[in-house]
Amino acid sequence: MRHDPILAILADLLRRVDGLAGARGHVAVPRLRDEIDQIRHIARAFHIDTVECLAGTLQSALSLQGAGPVVLSYLDLMRDAIAVEMPEADIIPMPLAPKPAGLGPHLSA
């Protein structure tokens, strides 16, 4: 079986995007800018134009507005754009963070 290098690149991009999204605002803005810049450069090198464009737009938003809720929206869009490039079997949904106990009504089965 041949190894497709673009799948490794897409998996790396997905890992990077999910890592930033998973940090949920606990990443310093300079590090966030560096990570987004790396994602943009990788996407550009491998002609993944939608991801490159979204990363560039997010970089602009970060310089104008700083880190905020818009970051997660862009990360979601980048994840979707990467997923479009991948075969369906290779896409693993990002796990949802568990809700803290004691918040809101509890439902029972």
Side-chain angles (χ1 to χ4, degrees):
M1 177 157 73
R2 283 186 57 216
H3 174 71
D4 188 356
I6 193 67
L7 290 179
I9 298 302
L10 292 169
D12 177 56
L13 287 172
L14 200 56
R15 180 190 56 78
R16 290 170 184 268
V17 168
D18 284 348
L20 291 173
R24 302 216 190 282
H26 297 288
V27 177
V29 173
R31 180 171 168 241
L32 182 60
R33 285 186 183 132
D34 287 343
E35 292 289 330
I36 297 299
D37 193 46
Q38 289 177 16
I39 290 169
R40 186 180 61 79
H41 280 290
I42 293 167
R44 183 177 194 176
F46 291 94
H47 306 287
I48 306 168
D49 299 334
T50 305
V51 176
E52 178 191 0
C53 182
L54 287 167
T57 304
L58 177 53
Q59 283 181 308
S60 297
L62 283 171
S63 30
L64 294 174
Q65 301 170 351
V70 72
V71 172
L72 286 176
S73 297
Y74 274 97
L75 293 174
D76 285 343
L77 290 170
M78 281 193 275
R79 186 176 211 293
D80 291 345
I82 294 165
V84 166
E85 300 287 332
M86 297 181 85
E88 283 186 43
D90 292 338
I91 302 169
I92 300 170
M94 187 172 147
L96 297 174
K99 291 183 180 179
L103 295 179
H106 290 45
L107 299 176
S108 58

